[in-house]
Amino acid sequence: MAKARSLESKLAKVRSLRSAPSSPQLVHELRTALTDASNLVVAEAAAIAGELRLTELTADLVAACERFYENPLKTDKLCRAKIALVEALNQMEFADEDFFWRSARYVQEEPVWGGSQDTAAPLRVACAFALVRTRAQGTLPHLVDLLCDPEKGARAGAAQALTYSGSDAALLLLRLKARLGDEDPEVISECLNGILKLSPNDGVALVAEFLEAKDVGVQAAAVLALGESRRPQAFEALQAFWQRQADPRLQETILVALALLRIPAATDFLLDLVAHESELVASAALAALVPFRHDIRLRERVAAAVAKNGRAAVRACFDKRFAME
């Protein structure tokens, strides 16, 4: 019990440094925290050092990371310290490729009920971003391998890192992975988002093809990717998909994506649903517009559409969901 209180006290002390002014004393306090035996304390200190870009702590961050490779199942459960340390070094634009390659393929199997689990996937992803950033030789083949990683988080991270690289080769790899598919829709989602970022003009047509996928999760991923693209062509694809979509789960996702587009045609479409559709559809359209309720002009238009609908339930939904805080 005393040990737990001591740890909480240390964590509270480190967290208090977030609001401290930049000074030699702050650097000293963080340097001391980075030598702590607790991976949680070190992770907190690393996060602060990274956010403040305290490059004078670079050597301390590297040393701390090396320390947590020793007896890692005991010293750094869930890779918390190593992940935070690598992410901090990334924020500081640390350029030692050898350091990042050491963790790029690192696996940490930890016991869980019924077997074991690799907890180092986020660490591999953080290193992948670093290798892209430093333009390390051999990065692209490594990202191909990471796209095939057993952990879905690593595969999704590989797609993100490919997008971050911005290369033509990365675009082709994302396209290939999307075509080949994945057991987890999250991975396909990252591929589709990457395609739209790297090829905004041509990507819409490709991503729209995934609206016809047999997997509802993949369909939803394509819907949201189109919404986040904010491309006018995406509105046309989403509008057409709405017209022929009967699955309530996908209907709600389509409405959210339409709202995410933030283009006049999509907003007009949602307002028309609020004004003329059934209680269920009108309320779902209202829900999609809630994140933008602080836009006074839009709020006025939504209120007018609710009044035109005339249903008490739609009015009640508006009063509840659009209440100003």
Side-chain angles (χ1 to χ4, degrees), residues 33-55:
L34 288 170
T35 65
D36 198 273
S38 168
N39 65 334
L40 299 179
V41 172
V42 172
E44 286 287 345
I48 297 171
E51 290 168 8
L52 298 178
R53 309 292 198 276
L54 297 176
T55 55

Side-chain angles (χ1 to χ4, degrees), residues 24-196:
Q25 180 62 26
L26 172 62
V27 173
H28 173 73
E29 294 281 358
L30 290 173
R31 179 169 284 131
T32 300
L34 288 170
T35 65
D36 198 273
S38 168
N39 65 334
L40 299 179
V41 172
V42 172
E44 286 287 345
I48 297 171
E51 290 168 8
L52 298 178
R53 309 292 198 276
L54 297 176
T55 55
E56 55 264 61
L57 290 173
T58 297
D60 303 272
L61 292 164
V62 172
C65 198
E66 296 292 339
R67 178 162 57 89
F68 283 109
Y69 283 110
E70 300 175 10
N71 196 11
L73 298 187
K74 181 178 180 180
T75 62
D76 191 24
K77 291 181 179 179
L78 302 180
C79 291
R80 286 193 175 105
K82 293 190 288 293
I83 293 168
L85 289 161
V86 169
E87 288 178 345
L89 288 165
N90 248 341
Q91 289 174 298
M92 295 177 186
E93 298 188 349
F94 185 58
D96 187 339
E97 297 173 10
D98 291 337
F99 170 83
F100 292 117
W101 275 120
R102 174 172 182 178
S103 297
R105 297 183 178 88
Y106 180 76
V107 173
Q108 185 164 310
E109 295 285 350
E110 299 191 28
V112 296
W113 180 260
S116 63
Q117 180 179 352
D118 174 16
T119 62
L123 178 61
R124 296 196 290 277
V125 171
C127 289
F129 272 88
L131 294 170
V132 171
R133 175 178 54 79
T134 59
R135 299 183 179 181
Q137 185 174 2
T139 297
L140 193 60
H142 174 65
L143 292 179
V144 173
D145 293 341
L146 199 60
L147 272 178
C148 303
D149 195 280
E151 295 294 322
K152 71 171 184 178
R155 299 195 301 276
Q160 293 171 342
L162 283 165
T163 303
Y164 175 57
S165 75
S167 68
D168 291 340
L171 176 60
L172 291 174
L173 286 170
L174 291 170
R175 185 183 183 115
L176 176 62
K177 179 59 178 173
R179 292 291 195 197
L180 291 175
D182 193 275
E183 63 185 25
D184 195 288
E186 178 186 342
V187 179
I188 301 303
S189 175
E190 292 298 343
C191 290
L192 299 181
N193 284 327
I195 289 168
L196 285 166

